[in-house]
Structure formats: C-alpha cells, structure tokens
Amino acid sequence: MGHNRLRHRLVDSDQSWSARQRRRRSDWLARTFPDIGDMHVVDLGGRLGTWHRATVRPARVTVVNLEQPPAAVPEWAHVEQADACDLPAHVVNGTYDLVFSNSVLEHVGGHERRLRFAAATRSLADRHWVQTPYRYFPIEPHWIAPGMQFLPIRLRTALARRWPLGHKPTRSHEAAIHQVLWTELLDRSQMRHYFPDSRMLIERVAGLPKSLIAVRTGA
C-alpha cells in the first residue's frame, strides 16, 4: 500500500508531480498554438481525459485509439477505434487543423511502425505536436525506475514483475515481457529522422531533457 501511495503522489493523482508537468505541457501547447480553441484536433493514441484537463480545449477533438471507445463521449468529441499507424480511409480523409500525440510514439511497435505513424501525422494536417519521453532521462517514466531502459530485456522483464511503482503491476512473465517489448524510448536522432521538417522542443526537469516534442506550426 505504501508503494501505491507513493506512485499516487508522484504520478497518478491530480496534484502529483507528473500532473503538474502535464499542466505545464498543456500550457506550452496553448502558447504554441494560440488559436487551438478554434481548431479541430486529431489525437493519435490519446484519451479524452487529456482534453478534459487541458488548459484550452479545442472546438472539436477526434481521438484515435486501439481501445474500445468509452460509453459516454461529450458532444465536442469523437472517438475512433483504429490503429494510428494504419488509419481507415474515413479518418485519413477528414479535415483537421492539428495532429496531437502524447507519449504514444514509444509504444507503436518498432521502427517501421514509427515511420508509418510519422507519415500519418504529416498527412493529416499541416500542424502537429508529437511528444515522447526522452530515452536518456535517468528515470524510466513508465515504471519510475532509475536506468531501467538501459538494461537487457531479461533484466527489464524481471524488474517489471517486481518493481512496485510500475504503471501496470504484474507478476506474470508473459505480461511483463509484453509491456517491456512494447516500450521503446527514443532519442533525439530518431525523432529528427521521423520528423525532419519539425522544430524539436525539449521539455526539461532540473535542467535535464525529459521529453522530446516534434512541432510544426504551419505549412
């Protein structure tokens, strides 16, 4: 229970350190796109909760996620159950002002699928904001474990089964290795490769790069 309370204070509660970081990032998004309140935003891989908590909510939000859509969807939103790396034609043919993605690119499943995700981002709108945790920040953000991302798969899997601050605690080897293999943190060279025409913003904590944000503000 003590570890659960610690994770709650660090990450999960609305007053946690992580929640404060998310609010700062939301403010940054609003400053970067001052007309976001009038936009139709397509959120690749996100959830509606992001926009309920946003500093400024867009006029319209389309969320694309592999998960089953929630039972209740507000009138300003639409949720599409789909793969952001292989979008259905009716999503591709939609009209959007901004593509948004937060902490998704590291979970899409390898280099080839990241290329497809980046291509989809560029094709959907002239403007985008794509954030992903930085590989060389000393704390692995999903498990809140120092240096975990640098360990061999076998040790990362063992740690995922036992580390008490993980985002999805599990004792099963198969579940743990599934989580580990679906989490690949990126560095700056990779992000520049996937988004060569974007400006790269660096989110810092205590002076250290914590996440990378590929931003394009217009054609």
Side-chain angles (χ1 to χ4, degrees):
M1 288 296 291
H3 292 123
N4 290 339
R5 285 196 296 269
L6 178 58
R7 181 176 174 88
H8 186 73
R9 290 210 308 266
L10 287 174
V11 178
D12 294 335
S13 83
D14 289 339
Q15 303 304 316
S16 67
W17 175 84
S18 185
R20 292 195 298 273
Q21 291 297 115
R22 288 192 294 268
R23 285 192 290 270
R24 286 180 56 196
R25 195 181 301 149
S26 180
D27 290 342
W28 198 0
L29 174 69
R31 290 195 304 272
T32 305
F33 299 98
D35 56 342
I36 192 171
D38 300 320
M39 288 184 179
H40 183 180
V41 173
V42 57
D43 182 344
L44 298 182
R47 293 187 175 97
L48 287 176
T50 297
W51 303 104
H52 283 296
R53 297 187 298 265
T55 302
V56 180
R57 195 181 70 215
R60 180 75 175 159
V61 177
T62 295
V63 172
V64 178
N65 199 302
L66 290 171
E67 299 173 347
Q68 186 75 23
V73 176
E75 54 90 22
W76 47 266
H78 171 70
V79 179
E80 187 76 38
Q81 187 176 17
D83 183 349
C85 300
D86 188 17
L87 293 168
H90 66 274
V91 174
V92 172
N93 294 330
T95 302
Y96 314 102
D97 301 301
L98 173 69
V99 179
F100 174 91
S101 182
N102 187 73
S103 295
V104 173
L105 189 59
E106 72 273 20
H107 296 300
V108 299
H111 171 63
E112 190 271 339
R113 283 179 55 82
R114 287 192 290 268
L115 285 171
R116 289 162 60 185
F117 185 97
T121 297
R122 291 191 297 271
S123 71
L124 290 171
D126 291 332
R127 292 176 280 190
H128 59 248
W129 170 287
V130 179
Q131 181 271 353
T132 191
Y134 179 51
R135 174 173 173 76
Y136 295 106
F137 188 69
I139 308 295
E140 204 292 331
H142 303 89
W143 283 272
I144 321 178
M148 179 179 173
Q149 65 270 40
F150 307 122
L151 298 175
I153 295 294
R154 179 176 61 84
L155 294 180
R156 287 165 61 194
T157 301
L159 187 60
R161 294 178 67 185
R162 295 169 176 82
W163 189 252
L165 299 179
H167 62 316
K168 292 181 180 178
T170 179
R171 294 293 179 180
S172 157
H173 172 81
E174 287 305 313
I177 197 169
H178 176 82
Q179 291 176 15
V180 164
L181 292 176
W182 276 99
T183 305
E184 300 178 86
L185 301 185
L186 281 68
D187 65 15
R188 298 187 210 201
S189 294
Q190 288 170 291
M191 282 293 277
R192 290 192 183 104
H193 177 70
Y194 297 131
F195 299 98
D197 299 323
S198 305
R199 182 162 53 107
M200 203 61 59
L201 303 182
I202 310 296
E203 182 181 25
R204 296 179 183 272
V205 171
L208 299 175
K210 178 184 176 291
S211 70
L212 310 172
I213 309 169
V215 173
R216 191 172 185 195
T217 54

